[in-house]
Structure formats: structure tokens, C-alpha cells
Amino acid sequence: MQISSLITSNGKPVQAQNILRDKGAVTLIRLDQDAVLRDHESVSEALLILLSGRARYETAAGDSTLLQQPQDFVRIPSKLTHRVIGLENSLLMLIQ
């Protein structure tokens, strides 16, 4: 089974699907090329892991992390305003 099978395309450039929720949450995020997951804050600390494609994580303060290869990740502090941009069609996993 492939993890990408847990999120199906609905034709929107940005999609999110919770795939596991008990004490925490695991969410798959699909971004089309040039799509932007707009500015938001995480309630708790999180990990954002690139599964495929290429994406850029940016903070409101101007810091930027390029996610280029599968398994590249960024640690997201709680209450930090940030956005994610799809540089290619991308699949990411958010663990909170």
C-alpha cells in the first residue's frame, strides 16, 4: 500500500486529509505546483515531512527552508506564523 493512496485528488490546488488521530494527528497535504498553503499557525509543535515533489516552508519573519528530497523535514514551533509553497506537485506529511 502507498501512503499517497490515503488522499484522493478533488481538483483543488491545496488539499489536506487527516489520516490518524488519537493523541496526536497525522495529516497528508497535497500541493499543486505554485499552490500556497496560506499563512497560519500550528497550535502545537509539528514536523512537516516531504514525501514527494519539492516545496518551500516560509515563516512570517522571512526564514525559508527548501524541501527538495523525500524525507526532508522542518520542525515547526507552536504559534509561529508560516506558509508552504508547492514548487512542484508535492505530497507532505504533517505530524502534530
Coordinates of all heavy atoms in Angstrom, one line a residue:
M1 N 0.8 -1.2 0.0 CA 0.0 0.0 0.0 C 0.9 1.2 0.0 O 1.9 1.3 0.7 CB -0.9 0.0 1.2 CG -1.8 1.2 1.3 SD -2.9 1.1 2.8 CE -4.4 0.7 1.9
Q2 N 0.5 2.2 -0.7 CA 1.2 3.5 -0.8 C 0.5 4.6 0.0 O -0.7 4.7 0.0 CB 1.3 4.0 -2.3 CG 2.1 3.1 -3.2 CD 3.5 3.2 -3.0 OE1 4.1 4.3 -3.0 NE2 4.2 2.1 -2.8
I3 N 1.3 5.4 0.8 CA 0.7 6.4 1.6 C -0.1 7.4 0.8 O -1.1 7.9 1.2 CB 1.8 7.1 2.5 CG1 1.1 8.0 3.6 CG2 2.7 8.0 1.6 CD1 1.4 7.4 4.9
S4 N 0.3 7.6 -0.5 CA -0.4 8.6 -1.3 C -1.8 8.1 -1.6 O -2.7 8.9 -2.0 CB 0.4 8.8 -2.6 OG 0.5 7.6 -3.3
S5 N -2.1 6.8 -1.4 CA -3.5 6.3 -1.7 C -4.5 6.8 -0.6 O -5.7 6.7 -0.8 CB -3.5 4.8 -1.8 OG -3.2 4.3 -0.5
L6 N -4.0 7.4 0.5 CA -4.9 7.8 1.5 C -5.5 9.2 1.3 O -6.3 9.7 2.0 CB -4.1 7.8 2.9 CG -3.7 6.4 3.3 CD1 -2.9 6.5 4.6 CD2 -4.9 5.5 3.5
I7 N -5.0 9.9 0.2 CA -5.5 11.2 -0.1 C -5.9 11.2 -1.6 O -5.0 10.9 -2.4 CB -4.6 12.4 0.3 CG1 -5.2 13.7 0.0 CG2 -3.2 12.2 -0.4 CD1 -4.4 14.9 0.6
T8 N -7.1 11.4 -1.9 CA -7.5 11.4 -3.3 C -7.7 12.8 -3.8 O -8.1 13.7 -3.1 CB -8.8 10.6 -3.5 OG1 -9.8 11.2 -2.7 CG2 -8.7 9.2 -3.1
S9 N -7.4 13.0 -5.1 CA -7.5 14.3 -5.7 C -8.9 14.8 -5.8 O -9.8 14.0 -6.3 CB -6.8 14.3 -7.1 OG -6.9 15.6 -7.7
N10 N -9.2 16.0 -5.5 CA -10.5 16.6 -5.6 C -10.5 17.8 -6.6 O -11.4 18.6 -6.7 CB -11.1 17.0 -4.3 CG -10.4 18.1 -3.6 OD1 -9.5 18.7 -4.2 ND2 -10.8 18.4 -2.4
G11 N -9.3 18.0 -7.3 CA -9.2 19.0 -8.3 C -8.8 20.4 -7.7 O -8.6 21.3 -8.4
K12 N -8.6 20.5 -6.4 CA -8.2 21.7 -5.8 C -6.7 21.8 -5.7 O -6.1 20.7 -5.5 CB -8.8 21.9 -4.4 CG -10.3 22.0 -4.4 CD -10.9 22.2 -3.0 CE -12.4 22.3 -3.0 NZ -13.0 22.4 -1.7
P13 N -6.1 23.0 -5.7 CA -4.6 23.0 -5.7 C -4.0 22.7 -4.3 O -2.8 22.4 -4.3 CB -4.3 24.5 -6.1 CG -5.6 25.2 -5.9 CD -6.7 24.3 -6.0
V14 N -4.8 22.9 -3.3 CA -4.3 22.6 -1.9 C -5.3 21.6 -1.2 O -6.5 22.0 -1.2 CB -4.1 23.8 -1.1 CG1 -3.7 23.5 0.4 CG2 -3.1 24.8 -1.7
Q15 N -4.9 20.5 -0.7 CA -5.7 19.6 0.0 C -5.1 19.1 1.2 O -3.9 19.0 1.3 CB -6.0 18.3 -0.9 CG -6.7 18.6 -2.2 CD -6.8 17.3 -3.0 OE1 -6.3 17.2 -4.0 NE2 -7.5 16.3 -2.4
A16 N -5.9 18.8 2.3 CA -5.4 18.2 3.5 C -6.3 17.1 3.9 O -7.5 17.2 3.8 CB -5.2 19.2 4.6
Q17 N -5.8 16.0 4.4 CA -6.6 14.8 4.8 C -6.0 14.2 6.1 O -4.9 13.8 6.1 CB -6.7 13.8 3.7 CG -7.4 12.5 4.1 CD -8.9 12.7 4.3 OE1 -9.5 13.3 3.5 NE2 -9.4 12.2 5.4
N18 N -6.7 14.3 7.2 CA -6.3 13.6 8.4 C -6.3 12.1 8.2 O -7.3 11.6 7.7 CB -7.1 14.0 9.6 CG -6.9 15.4 10.1 OD1 -5.8 15.9 10.0 ND2 -7.9 16.0 10.7
I19 N -5.2 11.4 8.5 CA -5.2 10.0 8.3 C -5.0 9.2 9.6 O -5.2 8.0 9.6 CB -4.0 9.6 7.3 CG1 -2.7 10.0 7.8 CG2 -4.3 10.2 5.9 CD1 -1.5 9.5 7.0
L20 N -4.7 9.9 10.7 CA -4.6 9.3 12.0 C -4.8 10.3 13.1 O -4.2 11.4 13.1 CB -3.2 8.7 12.1 CG -2.8 7.9 13.4 CD1 -3.7 6.6 13.5 CD2 -1.4 7.5 13.4
R21 N -5.7 10.0 14.0 CA -5.9 10.9 15.1 C -6.2 10.1 16.4 O -7.2 9.4 16.4 CB -7.0 11.9 14.8 CG -7.2 13.0 15.9 CD -8.3 13.9 15.5 NE -8.0 14.8 14.4 CZ -7.3 15.9 14.5 NH1 -6.8 16.3 15.6 NH2 -7.0 16.6 13.4
D22 N -5.4 10.3 17.4 CA -5.7 9.7 18.7 C -5.1 10.7 19.7 O -5.8 11.6 20.1 CB -5.0 8.3 18.8 CG -5.4 7.6 20.1 OD1 -6.4 8.0 20.7 OD2 -4.7 6.6 20.5
K23 N -3.9 10.5 20.1 CA -3.3 11.5 21.0 C -2.6 12.6 20.2 O -2.3 13.7 20.7 CB -2.2 10.8 21.9 CG -2.9 9.8 22.8 CD -1.8 9.3 23.8 CE -2.4 8.2 24.6 NZ -3.1 8.7 25.8
G24 N -2.4 12.4 18.9 CA -1.8 13.4 18.1 C -2.6 13.4 16.7 O -3.7 12.8 16.7
A25 N -2.0 13.9 15.7 CA -2.6 13.9 14.4 C -1.6 13.7 13.3 O -0.5 14.3 13.4 CB -3.4 15.2 14.2
V26 N -1.9 13.0 12.3 CA -1.1 12.9 11.1 C -1.9 13.3 9.9 O -3.0 12.8 9.7 CB -0.6 11.4 10.9 CG1 0.2 11.3 9.6 CG2 0.3 11.0 12.1
T27 N -1.5 14.3 9.2 CA -2.2 14.8 8.0 C -1.4 14.8 6.8 O -0.2 15.2 6.8 CB -2.6 16.3 8.3 OG1 -3.4 16.3 9.6 CG2 -3.5 16.9 7.2
L28 N -2.0 14.3 5.7 CA -1.4 14.4 4.4 C -1.8 15.7 3.7 O -2.9 16.1 3.8 CB -1.8 13.2 3.5 CG -1.2 11.9 3.9 CD1 -1.7 10.8 2.9 CD2 0.3 11.9 3.9
I29 N -0.8 16.4 3.1 CA -1.1 17.6 2.4 C -0.6 17.5 1.0 O 0.6 17.1 0.8 CB -0.3 18.8 3.1 CG1 -0.8 18.9 4.6 CG2 -0.6 20.1 2.3 CD1 0.0 19.9 5.4
R30 N -1.5 17.8 0.1 CA -1.1 17.7 -1.4 C -1.1 19.2 -1.9 O -2.1 19.9 -1.7 CB -2.1 16.9 -2.1 CG -1.8 16.8 -3.6 CD -2.8 16.0 -4.3 NE -2.9 14.7 -3.7 CZ -3.2 13.6 -4.3 NH1 -3.4 13.6 -5.6 NH2 -3.2 12.4 -3.7
L31 N 0.0 19.6 -2.5 CA 0.1 20.9 -3.1 C 0.4 20.8 -4.6 O 1.3 20.1 -4.9 CB 1.2 21.7 -2.4 CG 1.1 22.1 -1.0 CD1 2.4 22.7 -0.5 CD2 -0.1 23.1 -0.8
D32 N -0.4 21.5 -5.4 CA -0.1 21.6 -6.8 C 1.1 22.5 -7.0 O 1.4 23.3 -6.1 CB -1.2 22.1 -7.6 CG -2.4 21.1 -7.8 OD1 -2.2 19.9 -7.4 OD2 -3.5 21.5 -8.2
Q33 N 1.8 22.4 -8.1 CA 2.9 23.4 -8.4 C 2.3 24.8 -8.3 O 1.3 25.1 -8.8 CB 3.4 23.1 -9.8 CG 4.6 24.0 -10.1 CD 5.3 23.6 -11.4 OE1 5.0 22.6 -12.0 NE2 6.2 24.5 -11.9
D34 N 3.1 25.7 -7.6 CA 2.8 27.1 -7.4 C 1.6 27.3 -6.4 O 1.2 28.5 -6.1 CB 2.5 27.8 -8.7 CG 3.7 27.8 -9.6 OD1 4.8 27.9 -9.1 OD2 3.5 27.6 -10.8
A35 N 1.0 26.3 -5.8 CA -0.1 26.4 -4.9 C 0.6 26.9 -3.5 O 1.7 26.5 -3.2 CB -0.8 25.2 -4.7
V36 N -0.2 27.7 -2.8 CA 0.3 28.2 -1.5 C -0.7 27.8 -0.4 O -1.9 28.1 -0.5 CB 0.4 29.7 -1.5 CG1 0.8 30.2 -0.1 CG2 1.4 30.2 -2.6
L37 N -0.2 27.1 0.6 CA -1.0 26.9 1.8 C -0.7 28.1 2.7 O 0.3 28.4 3.2 CB -0.5 25.6 2.6 CG -1.1 25.3 3.9 CD1 -2.6 25.1 3.7 CD2 -0.5 24.0 4.5
R38 N -1.7 29.0 2.7 CA -1.6 30.4 3.2 C -1.2 30.4 4.6 O -1.3 29.5 5.4 CB -2.8 31.2 2.9 CG -4.0 30.7 3.7 CD -5.2 31.6 3.4 NE -6.2 31.4 4.3 CZ -7.3 30.7 4.0 NH1 -7.5 30.2 2.8 NH2 -8.2 30.5 5.0
D39 N -0.8 31.6 5.0 CA -0.3 31.9 6.4 C -1.2 31.3 7.5 O -2.5 31.5 7.4 CB -0.1 33.4 6.7 CG 1.1 33.9 6.0 OD1 1.8 33.2 5.2 OD2 1.4 35.1 6.2
H40 N -0.7 30.6 8.4 CA -1.4 30.0 9.5 C -0.5 29.7 10.6 O 0.7 29.8 10.5 CB -2.2 28.8 9.1 CG -1.3 27.7 8.6 ND1 -0.7 27.6 7.4 CD2 -0.9 26.5 9.3 CE1 0.1 26.6 7.3 NE2 0.0 25.9 8.4
E41 N -1.0 29.3 11.8 CA -0.2 28.9 13.0 C -0.6 27.5 13.4 O -1.7 27.2 13.3 CB -0.4 29.9 14.1 CG 0.0 31.3 13.9 CD -0.2 32.2 15.1 OE1 -0.8 31.7 16.1 OE2 0.1 33.4 15.0
S42 N 0.4 26.8 13.9 CA 0.1 25.5 14.5 C -0.1 25.7 15.9 O 0.6 26.5 16.6 CB 1.3 24.5 14.3 OG 1.5 24.2 13.0
V43 N -1.1 25.0 16.5 CA -1.5 25.1 17.9 C -0.3 24.4 18.7 O 0.0 24.9 19.8 CB -2.8 24.3 18.2 CG1 -3.1 24.3 19.6 CG2 -3.9 25.0 17.4
S44 N 0.2 23.3 18.2 CA 1.3 22.6 18.9 C 2.5 22.5 17.9 O 2.4 22.7 16.7 CB 0.8 21.2 19.3 OG 0.4 20.5 18.2
E45 N 3.6 22.1 18.5 CA 4.8 21.8 17.7 C 4.5 20.7 16.7 O 3.7 19.8 17.0 CB 6.0 21.4 18.6 CG 7.3 21.1 17.9 CD 8.4 20.8 18.8 OE1 8.2 20.4 20.0 OE2 9.6 20.8 18.3
A46 N 5.1 20.8 15.5 CA 4.8 19.8 14.5 C 6.1 19.5 13.6 O 7.0 20.3 13.7 CB 3.7 20.4 13.6
L47 N 6.0 18.4 12.9 CA 7.0 18.1 11.9 C 6.3 18.1 10.5 O 5.3 17.4 10.4 CB 7.6 16.7 12.1 CG 8.6 16.5 13.3 CD1 9.0 15.1 13.4 CD2 9.8 17.4 13.1
L48 N 6.9 18.7 9.5 CA 6.4 18.7 8.2 C 7.5 17.9 7.4 O 8.6 18.3 7.3 CB 6.2 20.1 7.6 CG 5.7 20.2 6.2 CD1 4.3 19.6 6.1 CD2 5.7 21.6 5.7
I49 N 7.1 16.8 6.8 CA 8.0 15.9 6.1 C 7.6 15.8 4.6 O 6.4 15.5 4.3 CB 7.9 14.5 6.7 CG1 8.2 14.6 8.2 CG2 8.9 13.6 6.0 CD1 7.9 13.3 8.9
L50 N 8.5 16.0 3.7 CA 8.3 15.9 2.3 C 8.3 14.5 1.9 O 9.2 13.7 2.2 CB 9.4 16.7 1.5 CG 9.2 16.6 0.0 CD1 8.1 17.5 -0.5 CD2 10.5 17.1 -0.7
L51 N 7.2 14.0 1.2 CA 7.2 12.6 0.7 C 7.5 12.6 -0.8 O 8.1 11.6 -1.2 CB 5.8 12.1 0.9 CG 5.3 12.0 2.4 CD1 3.9 11.4 2.5 CD2 6.3 11.1 3.2
S52 N 7.1 13.6 -1.5 CA 7.4 13.7 -3.0 C 7.3 15.1 -3.5 O 6.6 15.9 -2.8 CB 6.5 12.7 -3.8 OG 5.2 13.2 -3.8
G53 N 7.9 15.4 -4.6 CA 7.9 16.7 -5.1 C 9.0 17.6 -4.5 O 10.0 17.2 -4.0
R54 N 8.7 18.9 -4.6 CA 9.5 20.0 -3.9 C 8.6 21.1 -3.4 O 7.7 21.4 -4.0 CB 10.5 20.6 -5.0 CG 11.6 19.6 -5.4 CD 12.5 20.2 -6.5 NE 13.1 21.5 -6.1 CZ 12.9 22.7 -6.8 NH1 12.3 22.7 -7.9 NH2 13.5 23.8 -6.3
A55 N 9.0 21.6 -2.2 CA 8.2 22.6 -1.6 C 9.1 23.5 -0.8 O 10.3 23.2 -0.5 CB 7.1 22.0 -0.7
R56 N 8.6 24.7 -0.4 CA 9.3 25.6 0.4 C 8.4 26.0 1.6 O 7.3 26.4 1.4 CB 9.7 26.9 -0.4 CG 10.6 27.8 0.4 CD 11.1 29.0 -0.5 NE 10.1 29.8 -1.1 CZ 9.9 29.9 -2.4 NH1 10.7 29.2 -3.2 NH2 8.9 30.6 -2.9
Y57 N 9.0 26.0 2.8 CA 8.4 26.4 4.0 C 8.9 27.8 4.3 O 10.1 28.0 4.3 CB 8.8 25.4 5.1 CG 8.5 25.9 6.5 CD1 7.2 25.7 7.1 CD2 9.4 26.5 7.3 CE1 7.0 26.1 8.4 CE2 9.2 26.9 8.6 CZ 7.9 26.7 9.1 OH 7.7 27.1 10.4
E58 N 8.0 28.7 4.6 CA 8.4 30.1 4.9 C 7.7 30.6 6.2 O 6.6 30.3 6.4 CB 8.1 31.0 3.8 CG 8.7 30.8 2.5 CD 8.2 31.7 1.4 OE1 7.2 32.4 1.6 OE2 8.9 31.7 0.3
T59 N 8.5 31.3 7.0 CA 7.9 31.9 8.2 C 7.5 33.4 7.9 O 8.1 34.0 6.9 CB 8.8 31.9 9.4 OG1 9.9 32.7 9.2 CG2 9.3 30.5 9.7
A60 N 6.6 34.0 8.7 CA 6.3 35.4 8.5 C 7.5 36.3 8.7 O 7.5 37.4 8.2 CB 5.1 35.7 9.4
A61 N 8.5 35.8 9.5 CA 9.7 36.6 9.8 C 10.7 36.5 8.6 O 11.7 37.2 8.6 CB 10.4 36.0 11.0
G62 N 10.4 35.8 7.6 CA 11.2 35.7 6.4 C 12.2 34.6 6.3 O 12.9 34.4 5.3
D63 N 12.2 33.7 7.3 CA 13.0 32.5 7.2 C 12.4 31.5 6.2 O 11.2 31.4 6.1 CB 13.1 31.8 8.6 CG 13.8 32.7 9.6 OD1 14.8 33.4 9.2 OD2 13.3 32.7 10.8
S64 N 13.3 30.7 5.5 CA 12.8 29.8 4.5 C 13.6 28.5 4.5 O 14.8 28.6 4.8 CB 13.0 30.5 3.1 OG 12.6 29.7 2.1
T65 N 12.9 27.4 4.3 CA 13.5 26.1 4.2 C 13.0 25.4 3.0 O 11.8 25.3 2.8 CB 13.2 25.2 5.5 OG1 13.6 25.9 6.6 CG2 13.9 23.9 5.4
L66 N 14.0 25.0 2.1 CA 13.6 24.3 0.9 C 13.6 22.8 1.2 O 14.5 22.2 1.8 CB 14.7 24.6 -0.1 CG 14.4 24.1 -1.6 CD1 13.1 24.8 -2.1 CD2 15.6 24.5 -2.4
L67 N 12.5 22.2 0.9 CA 12.3 20.7 1.0 C 12.4 20.1 -0.4 O 11.5 20.3 -1.2 CB 10.9 20.4 1.6 CG 10.7 21.1 3.0 CD1 9.2 21.0 3.4 CD2 11.6 20.5 4.0
Q68 N 13.5 19.5 -0.7 CA 13.8 19.1 -2.1 C 13.8 17.6 -2.3 O 13.6 17.1 -3.4 CB 15.2 19.6 -2.5 CG 15.4 21.0 -2.4 CD 16.7 21.5 -3.0 OE1 16.9 21.6 -4.2 NE2 17.7 21.7 -2.1
Q69 N 14.1 16.8 -1.3 CA 14.2 15.3 -1.4 C 13.2 14.6 -0.5 O 13.0 15.1 0.6 CB 15.6 14.9 -1.2 CG 16.6 15.5 -2.1 CD 18.0 15.0 -1.7 OE1 18.2 14.2 -0.8 NE2 19.0 15.6 -2.4
P70 N 12.7 13.5 -0.8 CA 11.9 12.8 0.1 C 12.6 12.6 1.4 O 13.8 12.3 1.5 CB 11.6 11.4 -0.6 CG 11.7 11.7 -2.1 CD 12.8 12.8 -2.1
Q71 N 11.9 12.8 2.5 CA 12.3 12.7 3.9 C 12.9 14.0 4.4 O 13.3 14.1 5.6 CB 13.3 11.5 4.1 CG 12.6 10.2 3.8 CD 13.5 9.0 4.2 OE1 14.3 9.1 5.1 NE2 13.3 7.9 3.5
D72 N 13.1 15.0 3.5 CA 13.5 16.3 4.1 C 12.3 16.8 5.0 O 11.2 16.5 4.7 CB 13.6 17.4 2.9 CG 15.0 17.2 2.2 OD1 15.8 16.4 2.6 OD2 15.1 18.0 1.2
F73 N 12.7 17.4 6.1 CA 11.6 17.9 7.0 C 12.0 19.2 7.6 O 13.2 19.6 7.6 CB 11.4 16.8 8.1 CG 12.4 16.7 9.1 CD1 12.3 17.4 10.3 CD2 13.6 15.9 8.9 CE1 13.3 17.3 11.3 CE2 14.5 15.8 9.9 CZ 14.4 16.5 11.1
V74 N 11.0 19.8 8.2 CA 11.2 21.0 9.0 C 10.4 20.9 10.3 O 9.3 20.3 10.3 CB 10.8 22.3 8.2 CG1 9.3 22.3 7.9 CG2 11.2 23.6 9.0
R75 N 11.0 21.3 11.4 CA 10.3 21.3 12.7 C 9.6 22.6 12.8 O 10.2 23.7 12.7 CB 11.3 21.1 13.8 CG 10.7 20.9 15.2 CD 11.8 20.6 16.2 NE 12.6 19.5 16.0 CZ 12.2 18.2 16.3 NH1 11.1 18.0 17.0 NH2 13.0 17.2 16.0
I76 N 8.3 22.6 13.1 CA 7.5 23.8 13.2 C 7.2 24.1 14.6 O 6.5 23.3 15.2 CB 6.2 23.7 12.3 CG1 6.5 23.3 10.9 CG2 5.4 25.0 12.4 CD1 5.3 23.0 10.1
P77 N 7.7 25.2 15.2 CA 7.3 25.6 16.5 C 5.8 25.9 16.6 O 5.2 26.4 15.7 CB 8.2 26.8 16.9 CG 9.2 26.9 15.8 CD 8.6 26.2 14.6
S78 N 5.3 25.8 17.8 CA 3.9 26.2 18.0 C 3.8 27.7 17.9 O 4.7 28.4 18.2 CB 3.3 25.7 19.4 OG 4.1 26.3 20.4
K79 N 2.6 28.1 17.5 CA 2.3 29.6 17.4 C 3.2 30.4 16.5 O 3.3 31.6 16.8 CB 2.1 30.1 18.8 CG 1.2 29.4 19.7 CD 0.6 30.2 20.8 CE -0.2 29.4 21.8 NZ -1.2 28.5 21.3
L80 N 3.8 29.8 15.5 CA 4.7 30.5 14.6 C 3.9 30.6 13.3 O 3.5 29.6 12.7 CB 6.0 29.8 14.4 CG 6.9 30.4 13.4 CD1 7.5 31.8 13.9 CD2 8.1 29.5 13.0
T81 N 3.7 31.8 12.8 CA 3.0 32.0 11.5 C 3.9 31.6 10.4 O 5.1 32.0 10.3 CB 2.6 33.5 11.3 OG1 1.8 33.9 12.4 CG2 1.8 33.7 10.0
H82 N 3.4 30.7 9.5 CA 4.1 30.2 8.4 C 3.2 29.8 7.2 O 2.0 29.8 7.3 CB 4.9 28.9 8.9 CG 4.0 27.8 9.3 ND1 3.5 27.8 10.6 CD2 3.5 26.7 8.7 CE1 2.7 26.7 10.7 NE2 2.7 26.1 9.6
R83 N 3.8 29.5 6.1 CA 3.1 29.1 4.9 C 4.0 28.0 4.2 O 5.2 27.9 4.5 CB 2.9 30.3 3.9 CG 4.1 30.8 3.2 CD 3.9 32.1 2.4 NE 3.7 33.2 3.3 CZ 4.6 33.9 3.8 NH1 5.9 33.6 3.7 NH2 4.3 35.0 4.6
V84 N 3.4 27.3 3.3 CA 4.1 26.3 2.5 C 3.7 26.5 1.0 O 2.5 26.7 0.7 CB 3.7 24.9 2.9 CG1 4.5 23.8 2.2 CG2 3.9 24.7 4.4
I85 N 4.7 26.5 0.2 CA 4.5 26.7 -1.3 C 5.0 25.5 -2.0 O 6.1 24.9 -1.8 CB 5.4 27.9 -1.7 CG1 4.9 29.2 -0.9 CG2 5.2 28.1 -3.2 CD1 5.9 30.2 -0.8
G86 N 4.1 25.0 -3.0 CA 4.5 23.9 -3.8 C 5.3 24.3 -5.0 O 4.9 25.1 -5.8
L87 N 6.6 23.9 -5.0 CA 7.5 24.3 -6.2 C 7.2 23.3 -7.3 O 7.6 23.6 -8.5 CB 8.9 24.2 -5.7 CG 9.2 25.2 -4.5 CD1 10.7 25.0 -4.1 CD2 8.9 26.6 -4.9
E88 N 6.7 22.1 -7.0 CA 6.3 21.1 -7.9 C 5.0 20.5 -7.3 O 4.7 20.8 -6.1 CB 7.3 20.0 -8.1 CG 8.6 20.4 -8.6 CD 9.6 19.2 -8.6 OE1 9.3 18.1 -8.1 OE2 10.7 19.4 -9.1
N89 N 4.3 19.7 -8.0 CA 3.2 18.9 -7.4 C 3.9 18.1 -6.2 O 4.9 17.4 -6.5 CB 2.6 18.0 -8.4 CG 1.8 18.7 -9.4 OD1 1.5 19.9 -9.3 ND2 1.4 18.0 -10.5
S90 N 3.4 18.3 -5.0 CA 4.1 17.7 -3.8 C 3.1 17.1 -2.9 O 1.9 17.4 -2.8 CB 4.8 18.9 -3.1 OG 5.7 19.5 -3.9
L91 N 3.6 16.1 -2.2 CA 2.9 15.4 -1.1 C 3.7 15.5 0.2 O 4.9 15.2 0.2 CB 2.6 14.0 -1.5 CG 1.8 13.2 -0.5 CD1 0.4 13.7 -0.3 CD2 1.7 11.7 -0.9
L92 N 3.1 16.0 1.2 CA 3.8 16.2 2.5 C 3.0 15.5 3.6 O 1.8 15.4 3.5 CB 4.0 17.7 2.8 CG 4.7 18.5 1.8 CD1 3.8 19.4 1.0 CD2 5.9 19.3 2.4
M93 N 3.7 15.2 4.7 CA 3.0 14.6 5.9 C 3.3 15.6 7.1 O 4.4 15.9 7.3 CB 3.6 13.2 6.2 CG 2.9 12.6 7.4 SD 3.7 11.0 7.9 CE 3.3 10.1 6.4
L94 N 2.2 16.0 7.7 CA 2.3 16.8 8.9 C 2.0 15.9 10.1 O 1.0 15.3 10.2 CB 1.3 18.0 8.8 CG 1.3 18.9 10.0 CD1 2.6 19.7 10.1 CD2 0.1 19.8 10.0
I95 N 2.9 15.9 11.1 CA 2.8 15.2 12.3 C 2.7 16.2 13.5 O 3.6 17.0 13.7 CB 3.9 14.2 12.6 CG1 4.0 13.2 11.4 CG2 3.7 13.4 13.9 CD1 5.3 12.3 11.4
Q96 N 1.6 16.1 14.2 CA 1.4 17.0 15.4 C 1.2 16.2 16.6 O 0.5 15.2 16.6 CB 0.2 18.0 15.1 CG 0.4 18.9 14.0 CD -0.8 19.7 13.7 OE1 -1.9 19.2 13.5 NE2 -0.7 21.1 13.9

